[in-house]
Amino acid sequence: FSLLSSIGTAGLNNVFAMVPARDAEEWSKIPDADKAFIKNWLAWTDAHLTCLGKMQPVATLGVPAWDGVDGFACVDGDEGFVFLFNPGPVLANASLVLDESLGLANGTASAWNVTELYPRDGAGLGSWASGEPAAVEVGAADARVLELSRADDRATDLPKTATTRNMPLPETTISRNMPIAPDAVAPPTFRGGWFNVSFAVPDAVRTQLDARAAAYDVNWRANEYNATWLVPQRLLVSLTLETPTDDLDVVAELDGAPLAVAKSYNSRGLQRSRCFLGSYVDLSSLDAATHVLSVRWPALDAGRFRGVFFENVETVYE
């Protein structure tokens, strides 16, 4: 997310620092696939500098917010790109129109072919007629990047659909920021008190975490466990709160027994309130049985608590 947001918002001035490479061991053990992902996108940036220089916010989407998708787009000649970002904890849709809001000049192509570059590199999404509305799905806490290539007007001059063209994501086996159970997303009326959910850890989640532990077997230091983005084989569960603060008295129980609630900061060691990211529990040692997680919050504004979500899980499409 951090790499794509840097490219999509400031491709000519990339700042990419979220790499776990503070020492030689961390760097040397980063999986080759992860290094290739970073290198390929940086090379892609170099290859599309002209278009990226014309990047502009998609004004119809608004500013980054938990309850929606924001984005940037550019068009240069016969090619264009749309970068969409969903910082929220659940899947969301971006409502787009293929027109000037995406940098498309009047009187150019009447149809554009759409190819997904991320998360599924090279997935064809069909054609999109100029002026046609579309609903583009973006995964939770994730991005989606689309490539627009000018179609042959004579062969692909499509009529506008009567309704919005849908560009959904495919079904997933597991997904980033997935709720720990179907009812783990808090209702918008929740104002504090106990929030209870029954759940079991999917086998696919355990398989993914075990594979990551084998591929990235760093000898982590004790203080590095304080950083939720390190030791990524852990099964962490986020107690997701909009605009979190570290002064709230949060209590958790697992099957009726007390469960430690940890606090995450955007540093390996510094714990400052302005750097607070949120609260979480570590369930790495949990077995495969069904359990009940209970979280007690103090009084909150309605809708502030969003639910309970798995961390360290990457999306796997069916």
Side-chain angles (χ1 to χ4, degrees), residues 264-280:
S264 175
Y265 296 83
N266 64 356
S267 168
R268 299 184 186 214
L270 297 176
Q271 297 186 355
R272 298 172 178 169
S273 294
R274 69 175 183 271
C275 301
F276 183 61
L277 299 176
S279 301
Y280 69 96

Side-chain angles (χ1 to χ4, degrees), residues 180 199-206 209 235 283 286-289 291 310:
I180 67 172
F199 74 102
V201 180
D203 291 340
V205 168
R206 292 190 177 279
L209 296 179
L235 180 62
L283 300 182
L286 203 62
D287 58 31
H291 298 273
F310 285 123

Side-chain angles (χ1 to χ4, degrees), residues 49-304:
L49 291 177
T50 301
C51 193
L52 291 175
K54 300 179 180 181
M55 191 70 75
Q56 61 183 10
V58 181
T60 56
L61 293 180
V63 300
W66 271 40
D67 291 316
V69 176
D70 63 281
F72 285 71
C74 64
V75 174
D76 178 58
D78 292 340
E79 71 174 5
F81 303 98
V82 181
F83 284 74
L84 300 172
F85 305 103
N86 175 14
V90 296
L91 184 147
N93 276 292
S95 296
L96 302 175
V97 178
L98 188 56
D99 60 12
E100 294 89 341
S101 64
L102 300 183
L104 184 67
N106 283 325
T108 55
S110 59
W112 295 72
N113 295 321
V114 184
T115 303
E116 185 175 290
L117 301 184
Y118 178 87
R120 300 168 302 148
D121 187 13
L125 301 181
S127 295
W128 191 4
S130 178
E132 182 180 33
V136 184
E137 228 172 25
V138 185
D142 208 352
R144 197 172 185 187
V145 183
L146 306 179
E147 178 180 20
L148 307 177
S149 57
R150 183 169 177 162
D152 184 339
D153 291 347
R154 293 167 297 178
T156 327
D157 190 2
L158 301 177
K160 299 175 185 178
T161 56
T163 57
T164 300
R165 184 177 297 276
N166 291 314
M167 297 184 190
L169 290 165
E171 294 297 319
T172 60
T173 303
I174 55 176
S175 60
R176 177 179 295 187
N177 211 70
M178 62 186 288
I180 67 172
D183 58 349
V185 178
T189 55
F190 183 84
R191 293 178 176 270
W194 284 103
F195 182 81
N196 306 299
V197 58
S198 297
F199 74 102
V201 180
D203 291 340
V205 168
R206 292 190 177 279
T207 298
Q208 186 180 92
L209 296 179
D210 289 344
R212 186 176 300 139
Y216 194 40
D217 59 338
V218 173
N219 183 26
W220 300 103
R221 302 182 182 91
N223 71 310
E224 291 175 326
Y225 281 76
N226 295 327
T228 50
W229 64 91
L230 299 177
V231 202
Q233 65 267 32
R234 291 179 292 172
L235 180 62
L236 305 183
V237 169
S238 171
L239 313 178
T240 304
L241 192 72
E242 186 174 0
T243 59
T245 58
D246 62 357
D247 59 348
L248 295 178
D249 181 22
V250 187
V251 176
E253 294 180 354
L254 185 67
D255 300 326
L259 179 65
V261 177
K263 297 179 179 181
S264 175
Y265 296 83
N266 64 356
S267 168
R268 299 184 186 214
L270 297 176
Q271 297 186 355
R272 298 172 178 169
S273 294
R274 69 175 183 271
C275 301
F276 183 61
L277 299 176
S279 301
Y280 69 96
V281 295
D282 189 337
L283 300 182
S284 300
S285 61
L286 203 62
D287 58 31
T290 298
H291 298 273
V292 176
L293 176 63
S294 302
V295 183
R296 189 188 70 195
W297 291 94
L300 300 170
D301 291 337
R304 188 179 174 194

Side-chain angles (χ1 to χ4, degrees), residues 15-51:
V15 177
F16 178 56
M18 295 297 290
V19 179
R22 197 66 69 86
D23 58 43
E25 184 188 18
E26 286 183 25
W27 171 249
S28 65
K29 291 184 176 180
I30 293 178
D32 290 341
D34 293 340
K35 291 181 181 179
F37 179 85
I38 295 170
K39 290 179 178 178
N40 289 342
W41 270 105
L42 293 179
W44 182 93
T45 302
D46 291 339
H48 297 90
L49 291 177
T50 301
C51 193

